[in-house]
Amino acid sequence: MMEHIATPFGRRTMTLGQIASQVRARAAPKDAVVNKWQAFQHIREARALLGATDRALAILNALLSFHQETVLTGEGNVIVWPSNEQLMARANGMPPTTLRRHLAVLVDCGLIIRRDSPNGKRFARKGRRGEIEQAYGFDLSPIVARAAEFNDLAEAVQAEKRAFRVAKERLTLLRRDIVKLIDTGIEEGVPGNWGRALQNYQAIVGRLPRSAPRQLVESICGELEVLWHDIRDALESFANSQNADANESRSGRHIQNSNPDSISESENGLEDNEEAGVNAEKTDNLRNLPRRDLPLGIVLDACPNMQEIARGHEIRHWRDFLAAAELVRPMLGISGSAWREALAALGEQQAAITLAAIYQRADQINSPGGYLRSLTERARQGKFSTWPMIMALLRAKLDAEKASAETLSGPPDDGDRREERFEASEALLRSLRGPES
C-alpha cells in the first residue's frame, strides 16, 4: 500500500520504503549525538551502496549547512526549511528540475524525510520565546538514526577498496614477472616451449576487460600464479640440475655467461637460406628494387600466418602488424638481443616484415634467430631488402594456387595456360613494381 499526501501541486506518493525510514527515525535513541559532517563523509563513501548520486549528495550537503549546529541529536529539532531558491544557490546553481529529482533520490535512499505543511510550504512556527514549536521542511533525523549503519557501510567500502588495490598490485607484479621469466628462458636458451607459455599468458590476460571487478581480478591472478610457478620451476630445475658442459653436450644450447649471442642462433644460420625459400642473398643489385615501402596489404597477402597471431583482431594498420610481430618473436625463439640488432639495422617496420616472412616459412628454417642475424648483417652492408622476400613468398603462393587449380580442374590447354601465366605475372608486376625511374 502507498500513502498519498495532498500538496498544492497534487498528490505526492509515499512508498513503503519511505515509511520504513520514518519508523527508523522515530526509533533513534534520544541521547544520540552525531557529528553531521562526519556522518556526511560516511554517506559519501558509501553512496554506491545507498543508491545516492553525486548531485543528491550536493543537495544533502546544502541541507546540512542550513542546520546551525555541528551535531545532530536524537531529541533536538533537526528539520530545515530552506526554499528551493536557497537550496539551488547553495548547490552551485542547480536547475529546479534537477533539484526536485535529486531531492526525491535523498528521500528514496532514506537519508531525509519530507515534513510537508498543509499548504505544501516550508516554514517554522515559533513560540513567544523564539523557540521553534513546529517546523515543516526536510527532516534530517534519519542521519542520526542510521549513523552507525553509515559508518559500517563506509568501513566496508574502504575494506573493498583496499582489497581491490592489493589485487591489482598482485596482478601487475605477476604480469611483469611472467614476461621477464619468459624472456629469460628465451635469452638463456633454456629448453622449453616458450611460445606456448607466452600464448597461455596472453590467453589468460586477454580475458581481463578494461574495468574488471575485484573477484575477476583475483581469479585471473590465481591462474597467472599457477603459470608463474610452472615457468619458475622450469627455470630453477634447469639451473640446478644441469651444468654448462652437460647442457652443451645434450642440447647444443650452451649458456655462455648469459651472453644472448648464443650458438643456438648463430650456427647453421646461413645454411637455412635455401630451405626458407625467401633468400634475399640471390638479389645482388638492390638498386633495381622499388624505392617505395611495401604496402601492408601485400605483406599480409604474402604472410597470412600473421593474421592468426593477431588474437582474432584484423590487422588494419602498421601498428597492429608491429604488435603481432612482438608476439611472433618469442614464439620463434629469437632472443631480445637479435631483435634489437634487427631493429637498429632495418628499422621497426622493415624488421617486422622480415620477421613475418621468417614466421611464414618457420617450418623450413632450423634457426630463425641465426637467419635473422645473417639478414641483419647483410642489411648493415646495404645488401638486403625485404622486397625479394615478399616477392618470393607471393610467387610461391601463386604457384601453389595454380597447382591446386590444375589438380581440381585438369591441365588447361596451351592457350589457357599462356593466358593464365600472363595475367598472374601482370598482377604481380602491378602490385609490386614501383614507378619507373
Side-chain angles (χ1 to χ4, degrees):
M1 294 180 60
M2 295 185 180
E3 177 184 351
H4 298 279
I5 300 177
T7 70
F9 306 100
R11 297 169 62 84
R12 181 180 296 123
T13 300
M14 178 178 289
T15 65
L16 292 177
Q18 295 169 13
I19 296 175
S21 298
Q22 295 186 7
V23 173
R24 287 198 300 268
R26 286 195 296 268
K30 297 301 182 181
D31 59 347
V33 178
V34 175
N35 184 302
K36 64 181 183 181
W37 298 122
Q38 185 177 18
F40 177 75
Q41 177 65 22
H42 295 159
I43 293 171
R44 186 170 62 180
E45 291 177 355
R47 61 185 179 275
L49 299 178
L50 295 170
T53 62
D54 292 339
R55 291 282 186 95
L57 292 184
I59 297 172
L60 181 59
N61 181 75
L63 288 173
L64 290 172
S65 70
F66 282 103
H67 191 273
Q68 299 301 318
E69 302 296 330
T70 303
V71 296
L72 304 176
T73 62
E75 61 180 358
N77 190 333
V78 288
I79 297 177
V80 293
W81 54 91
S83 64
N84 282 354
E85 289 75 13
Q86 291 173 316
L87 269 178
M88 288 186 293
R90 293 202 184 182
N92 301 321
M94 187 178 295
T97 55
T98 305
L99 176 69
R100 288 192 292 271
R101 184 169 66 254
H102 291 285
L103 278 171
V105 171
L106 291 176
V107 174
D108 292 339
C109 292
L111 297 176
I112 62 173
I113 298 173
R114 290 182 184 271
R115 302 295 185 187
D116 291 325
S117 66
N119 63 0
K121 300 294 184 179
R122 303 176 201 140
F123 63 91
R125 184 179 293 114
K126 298 183 179 181
R128 294 181 178 180
R129 299 178 181 178
E131 73 277 8
I132 297 176
E133 293 182 346
Q134 182 67 44
Y136 300 98
F138 301 105
D139 190 349
L140 303 177
S141 58
I143 297 178
V144 180
R146 302 177 63 186
E149 176 190 351
F150 297 148
N151 180 65
D152 293 342
L153 290 176
E155 289 181 353
V157 170
Q158 289 298 324
E160 175 65 20
K161 288 182 178 179
R162 287 192 296 270
F164 199 7
R165 183 169 59 252
V166 170
K168 290 194 292 186
E169 290 175 354
R170 180 186 174 201
L171 175 65
T172 300
L173 291 174
L174 283 170
R175 295 182 64 173
R176 183 191 65 187
D177 291 348
I178 288 174
V179 172
K180 285 185 176 180
L181 289 176
I182 292 176
D183 279 343
T184 299
I186 296 173
E187 291 277 355
E188 301 292 350
V190 178
N193 194 339
W194 300 111
R196 177 61 59 84
L198 183 62
Q199 285 182 332
N200 292 340
Y201 166 76
Q202 294 287 352
I204 296 173
V205 175
R207 300 201 312 271
L208 193 66
R210 185 177 296 274
S211 298
R214 175 181 58 83
Q215 292 78 5
L216 179 58
V217 173
E218 290 180 343
S219 176
I220 295 295
C221 285
E223 296 183 47
L224 288 177
E225 190 164 3
V226 172
L227 180 62
W228 177 81
H229 277 293
D230 291 342
I231 297 174
R232 188 196 62 177
D233 291 345
L235 294 176
E236 289 182 353
S237 176
F238 179 79
N240 295 331
S241 65
Q242 299 188 28
N243 57 51
D245 294 335
N247 180 41
E248 183 178 6
S249 64
R250 285 194 293 270
S251 66
R253 297 177 64 89
H254 179 205
I255 301 176
Q256 300 178 0
N257 297 325
S258 300
N259 181 9
D261 298 332
S262 61
I263 192 171
S264 64
E265 290 184 355
S266 60
E267 66 177 0
N268 297 329
L270 296 178
E271 296 176 5
D272 295 327
N273 293 348
E274 294 182 358
E275 295 178 20
V278 290
N279 184 13
E281 297 179 2
K282 296 180 180 179
T283 304
D284 294 327
N285 189 3
L286 299 183
R287 292 177 298 178
N288 294 331
L289 295 176
R291 302 288 183 181
R292 60 189 177 90
D293 292 335
L294 277 164
L296 178 59
I298 296 296
V299 176
L300 292 176
D301 191 35
C303 307
N305 289 350
M306 291 294 289
Q307 287 286 7
E308 301 174 3
I309 297 299
R311 298 197 311 175
H313 300 293
E314 185 178 359
I315 298 179
R316 297 177 178 271
H317 308 284
W318 280 112
R319 61 176 178 271
D320 302 330
F321 187 81
L322 298 177
E326 290 293 337
L327 297 176
V328 166
R329 192 269 300 174
M331 294 176 63
L332 290 173
I334 296 176
S335 69
S337 60
W339 180 237
R340 288 189 293 270
E341 291 175 7
L343 291 174
L346 293 164
E348 190 175 24
Q349 183 170 312
Q350 298 302 312
I353 295 173
T354 304
L355 199 66
I358 294 175
Y359 182 67
Q360 188 64 30
R361 292 292 185 87
D363 57 336
Q364 303 178 26
I365 301 177
N366 294 332
S367 177
Y371 186 42
L372 180 63
R373 286 187 186 276
S374 68
L375 296 180
T376 300
E377 183 59 29
R378 292 187 61 81
R380 292 195 188 100
Q381 301 171 6
K383 299 179 180 179
F384 171 71
S385 170
T386 54
W387 276 87
M389 302 179 74
I390 299 303
M391 290 176 65
L393 287 171
L394 284 173
R395 189 178 302 110
K397 182 180 179 181
L398 289 173
D399 292 343
E401 292 174 353
K402 178 180 176 181
S404 176
E406 290 179 354
T407 302
L408 294 176
S409 60
D413 57 31
D414 292 341
D416 292 338
R417 184 180 294 109
R418 283 193 302 270
E419 182 179 357
E420 180 182 3
R421 183 165 56 249
F422 173 78
E423 291 179 351
S425 178
E426 186 63 19
L428 184 63
L429 290 175
R430 283 200 304 269
S431 300
L432 301 180
R433 186 170 53 204
E436 298 292 335
S437 56

